[in-house]
Amino acid sequence: MTFGLTKFSTRTKLVVGAIALVLAGLSHASGTLVGGGATLPSVGYVGSNAASGNLQLFGTGTGTGIAAGSLFGVYAAQTGNPGVSYCLTGSGAGKDVLAGGTIGANTYGVQTNCAKNANGVVNGFGAPAVSRTDLLQPSFAAADSPLAATDVSNYQTGHGSASDFPTQFPVIAGAVGIGFNLTDSTGAQVTASEVNFTATQVCQIFSGTVTAWNDSHLASAFTLPSGHSIPATAINVQYRSDGSGTSFSLSNYLSNNCSPAGLSSVFETSQTFGSTTAGSGGTPAAGSVISNFFTTLPSNWTGTSGNSGVANAIASATGNGNVGYVETANALALGLTTLQLADVASKSPTANFGTPLVIGSTDVVYNEVINPTNATNGTAQVEALTSPPSTECIALVPPTDYAIPGSRGGIVPSTSYPIVAVSYFLGNAQGNISTDLASTAKLVDAPYNATITGSVTTVGSGTGLAFLNITNAGTNFTATSPGACLH
């Protein structure tokens, strides 16, 4: 006996089909929104489980769930809003998943699992894990390195049209901490309260100008108890091997501060720090952060994928003498006692960061991208898209405006910790599933919604993260501009 629609009339089939479409629409309307990307603000977005080692966070499960006090948790608690799934790919891969298709050696897509592939790259957002097999592209993405011209080109190639554009708006700021693990001459752990680097000393460490902790150039950084001193321990640099907005933000600081410090070579502002593969001793990729300093990285410089990977490498029990750069909020969530976060320019990444940064109308440019870095001084250059969209839905805070606190009329006050990242939400200006549009618009507007941000506990004083105050951002950037750009 055969069952199914074959025995029903045409009218009955149409009715059943209509009901199925309605049910599908209801399912989509209440379906989980799927995104991913930047790890720097991830604790603010999803809570402390961002540091659990799990790459995909959604629901309320132990180790994989989204905290009630996080941005996405508070958003989902609002009446009518769905849950959110967030995949920790890193900023570079997050932009590539939003673009979709094959980019370099990897193929990216929202339906690909949120897991490292054979190349060590997380090239999908794991939509099937939250029953969103209907999605052809992500609901949103997040990045601490803003769109470059190549990102827009990749997006248009992946979406099949030169008239398709991503959207981009700045949503949050984060402190990039200089993490270290060092014992003094007595074997005691050197603590954060005992270390205060100048900008010049940060430049000397990450250029390899100093190679031992007792180098006289670093002497002024330490305030140790009587009878304690810094031994001749090698400086072992730990860095991000994946495309990282944290690398972009550190290198933005370096490129703007190191030339005045007298270093003759150039740091390039880039989301790629060093070698093309994880590990040490590789040849720096062209255009990477330190490509102008080394033809081969020192053997004790080690690349690791992901913030937690770098943080754990710094804190390793066998890692005395390690130093690196980490996302402050994520590093705090890991609770690693041997990972200390230094002051820089007498400012703490926790105590002196967390107050909302004020975005003014002159702090944002539209339809401009990063391309390329300046071969003279390595700073990130901003240029207009050659064929821009008619809308102003690609908003950018020029990186040089937050590289030096208190200068250029930028958004970072002189009272702030100086190494700062600005993180963005990205989306699709065309082609979103219509039944998701309202909820996706509310999500990308959430960082500017006082009702939501007022209940978020994972961003603010002591967290290493700060919301952006856009009260004076101008008529082109209001609290509902990002959502309005998702056509």
Side-chain angles (χ1 to χ4, degrees), residues 38-49:
T39 57
L40 184 143
S42 59
V43 168
Y45 292 163
V46 305
S48 60
N49 279 340

Side-chain angles (χ1 to χ4, degrees), residues 139-470:
S139 308
F140 71 102
D144 310 314
S145 51
L147 289 167
T150 51
D151 295 318
V152 176
S153 176
N154 290 337
Y155 183 92
Q156 292 175 334
T157 298
H159 287 241
S161 173
S163 62
D164 279 5
F165 287 95
T167 67
Q168 172 182 273
F169 284 87
V171 298
I172 204 168
V176 178
I178 303 301
F180 67 92
N181 177 13
L182 180 65
T183 56
D184 65 23
S185 57
T186 71
Q189 176 81 44
V190 179
T191 64
S193 63
E194 297 171 330
V195 182
N196 175 28
F197 293 123
T198 64
T200 297
Q201 289 165 336
V202 173
C203 295
Q204 289 168 335
I205 288 169
F206 288 101
S207 66
T209 302
V210 296
T211 59
W213 284 105
N214 69 336
D215 189 296
S216 60
H217 291 91
L218 299 182
S220 65
F222 300 102
T223 304
L224 301 179
S226 177
H228 296 239
S229 62
I230 298 297
T233 305
I235 297 175
N236 307 310
V237 173
Q238 309 294 328
Y239 64 90
R240 286 283 290 272
S241 61
D242 48 350
S244 164
T246 311
S247 294
F248 179 90
S249 302
L250 173 71
S251 59
N252 182 48
Y253 174 83
L254 296 174
S255 65
N256 280 272
N257 287 274
C258 294
S259 292
L263 293 175
S264 59
S265 297
V266 177
F267 285 104
E268 295 287 344
T269 302
S270 173
Q271 65 184 22
T272 301
F273 188 84
S275 58
T276 55
T277 57
S280 59
T283 300
S288 64
V289 173
I290 43 73
S291 56
N292 292 324
F293 275 97
F294 301 104
T295 55
T296 302
L297 287 176
S299 61
N300 62 332
W301 286 39
T302 305
T304 307
S305 177
N307 176 73
S308 61
V310 172
N312 279 290
I314 296 170
S316 169
T318 59
N320 183 33
N322 284 344
V323 67
Y325 56 97
V326 292
E327 299 128 10
T328 296
N330 290 266
L332 293 174
L334 288 167
L336 301 168
T337 58
T338 53
L339 172 63
Q340 300 288 308
L341 298 177
D343 285 2
V344 176
S346 300
K347 301 296 188 296
S348 162
T350 53
N352 301 114
F353 199 85
T355 302
L357 300 186
V358 178
I359 298 284
S361 59
T362 60
D363 295 322
V364 183
V365 296
Y366 298 91
N367 294 330
E368 297 191 21
V369 291
I370 304 298
N371 184 39
T373 52
N374 184 328
T376 301
N377 61 20
T379 56
Q381 301 302 289
V382 175
E383 65 177 34
L385 287 169
T386 54
S387 299
S390 58
T391 58
E392 293 187 317
C393 293
I394 300 176
L396 171 71
V397 179
T400 53
D401 287 357
Y402 56 88
I404 302 177
S407 71
R408 301 189 180 97
I411 66 174
V412 182
S414 59
T415 54
S416 171
Y417 177 80
I419 310 179
V420 175
V422 172
S423 195
Y424 298 81
F425 274 168
L426 292 84
N428 302 292
Q430 300 90 8
N432 298 289
I433 290 180
S434 60
T435 47
D436 280 349
L437 268 180
S439 53
T440 303
K442 289 180 182 178
L443 178 66
V444 296
D445 289 343
Y448 322 107
N449 183 326
T451 300
I452 291 178
T453 59
S455 298
V456 174
T457 59
T458 55
V459 178
S461 177
T463 67
L465 294 170
F467 283 118
L468 301 177
N469 183 337
I470 63 166

